[in-house]
Amino acid sequence: MKPIKVEHPLIEHKLAILRDKKTGTKEFRELISEITLFLCYEAMKDAKLHEVEIETPLTKTRAKMIDENDYVFVPILRAGTGMIDGIVTMIPNAKIGHIGLYRNEETLKPVRYYYKMPKGIENKQVIVIDPMLATGGSGIDAVTLLKEDGVKDIKFLSIIAAPEGLIKMQETHPDVKIYCAAIDDHLNDVGYIVPGLGDAGDRIFGTV
Ligand code: PRP
Ligand code: URA
């Protein structure tokens, strides 16, 4: 499935500040949340609505709502957790699962260290969140784990994606729709996205 690059002048503006190495921890976290709002907004465009009856101060009327409990957002630890704030601002009752993966610095291969999902995950719409899709290793492994758990409906939100990671994800999981705010130029020889923003986890948590 072709990735969706979410385009908006405000996203470009916020990305410019996010990428800047002079941007500090507080602002970096805020920008991650704000850009996540836009990605979430776009990814929910095809959300199912059901009719409800409500009463305005003037009259009874019918209105439409989503079922917030249908959605599980799954941050990939650690940097993905920086996106939770933006998600729960939009969908306050969304369930959150966690997947812990880290990259072996030498092989660049993901290693799993944590996996906890809400009950009934197999019948939910699952949206994996991670600010960076670089080689695609972590994202692909996270999606594979979810599919092994019976999940059929998976989307992937990332702030910056590399062409290499997008191709690999599309080849391995063609059914997963990817939403991103930027598609960058390339990966460098240690798997970092160029121009990118550096190490997302380190910049969110101030561990640089
Ligand atoms: C980063 C990022 C992704 C992964 C992307 O996490 O948040 O999970 O790298 O790279 P990939 O597409 O090549 O797998 P990292 O492994 O640095 O861990 P962290 O979130 O704990 O900093
Ligand atoms: N992980 C990051 O945090 N940044 C990159 O550029 C690549 C992987």
Side-chain angles (χ1 to χ4, degrees), residues 121-138:
I121 185 79
E122 63 281 1
N123 298 316
K124 305 285 186 190
Q125 297 199 32
V126 173
I127 299 151
V128 181
I129 53 177
D130 192 321
M132 311 302 275
L133 183 71
T135 64
S138 314

Side-chain angles (χ1 to χ4, degrees), residues 103 132 134 187 191-193 196-201:
R103 261 192 312 172
M132 311 302 275
L187 291 178
Y192 272 79
I193 300 177
L197 49 72
D199 188 300

